[in-house]
Amino acid sequence: MVAVNGQIESGQFPGFDDLYCKFCFVYGQDWVPAAGLEEGISQITSKSDVAPTTFVWNFPIDITFKSTNPSGWPQIVVSVYGPDFFGNDVVRGYGAVHVPFTSGRHKRTIAMFVPESTSKLQKFTSWFTGRRPEFTDPKVVARGEGREVTRVRSQGFVTISFNVVTKDMKKLGYDVSPSDMQNPSLVPATERIHKY
């Protein structure tokens, strides 16, 4: 079992205002959600005078998965939306990251991107009609199929904090505990002494 909770903390999107985000989880065939929400939508947040490019959502995530196979380890897909010049909701960024493999508190910053039109005429037409390029299914962001022909542009960052708890991983033969080198207090004192 893998229990995940935490929050979509904030995003950096210079030049935009009044943004909200959606999330969903993508996982393999052997994974089954045992509890919690697989998708959600946040409130709209505005930029502040203190940090004019930072948008704070603090939007909670909470889900538990079970599986007998690590293949298809869960990923969270985040989509950020906001109004354009005409007031239409358009995508301001897509991004995805795997749920951390080890138990504990983790923070991840996701580089976001948006699909782009392939020609100047399509760019102008999409701007004029308010129908910018976007994915019909945001889950495509977490999959590799068909992505090689997609033209995208980087745009913004989203920060997510995860609290991960794993159960019975060792029973199935998987060791996902952090290595001793990541926690120097567990390394014997004789190994911490530098030899000159």
Side-chain angles (χ1 to χ4, degrees), residues 55-69:
F55 298 87
V56 178
W57 291 292
N58 289 333
F59 188 61
I61 53 176
D62 188 7
I63 192 166
T64 302
F65 293 99
K66 59 183 181 176
S67 177
T68 57
N69 185 350

Side-chain angles (χ1 to χ4, degrees), residues 44-150:
I44 296 174
T45 187
S46 299
K47 60 184 175 184
S48 71
D49 295 334
V50 178
T53 62
T54 301
F55 298 87
V56 178
W57 291 292
N58 289 333
F59 188 61
I61 53 176
D62 188 7
I63 192 166
T64 302
F65 293 99
K66 59 183 181 176
S67 177
T68 57
N69 185 350
S71 178
W73 191 271
Q75 298 179 64
I76 186 169
V77 175
V78 179
S79 311
V80 176
Y81 297 86
D84 65 2
F85 180 74
F86 300 109
N88 301 314
D89 269 356
V90 294
V91 68
R92 295 299 184 195
Y94 291 107
V97 67
H98 280 93
V99 169
F101 298 110
T102 58
S103 295
R105 181 161 172 74
H106 306 273
K107 190 175 271 201
R108 299 288 187 265
T109 299
I110 307 171
M112 305 295 279
F113 62 88
V114 291
E116 283 220 312
S117 299
T118 55
S119 72
K120 298 228 184 256
L121 177 62
Q122 284 178 331
K123 241 181 218 179
F124 175 74
T125 305
S126 66
W127 176 83
F128 186 71
T129 61
R131 296 187 53 121
R132 307 255 172 99
E134 64 180 73
F135 297 123
T136 54
D137 181 10
K139 292 181 178 183
V140 73
V141 171
R143 299 183 183 120
E145 303 87 32
R147 292 269 319 275
E148 67 276 358
V149 295
T150 307

Side-chain angles (χ1 to χ4, degrees), residues 11 23-24 27 34 56 67-68 74 110 115 127-128 168 171-172 192:
F23 77 88
C24 62
Y27 45 87
V56 178
S67 177
T68 57
I110 307 171
W127 176 83
F128 186 71
D168 296 336
K171 282 184 184 177
L172 298 172
R192 283 185 279 171

Side-chain angles (χ1 to χ4, degrees), residues 1 30-31 67-71 73 101 166-177:
M1 290 192 99
D30 292 335
W31 290 84
S67 177
T68 57
N69 185 350
S71 178
W73 191 271
F101 298 110
T166 59
K167 180 183 174 204
D168 296 336
M169 298 291 270
K170 285 199 180 205
K171 282 184 184 177
L172 298 172
Y174 301 108
D175 184 13
V176 293
S177 60

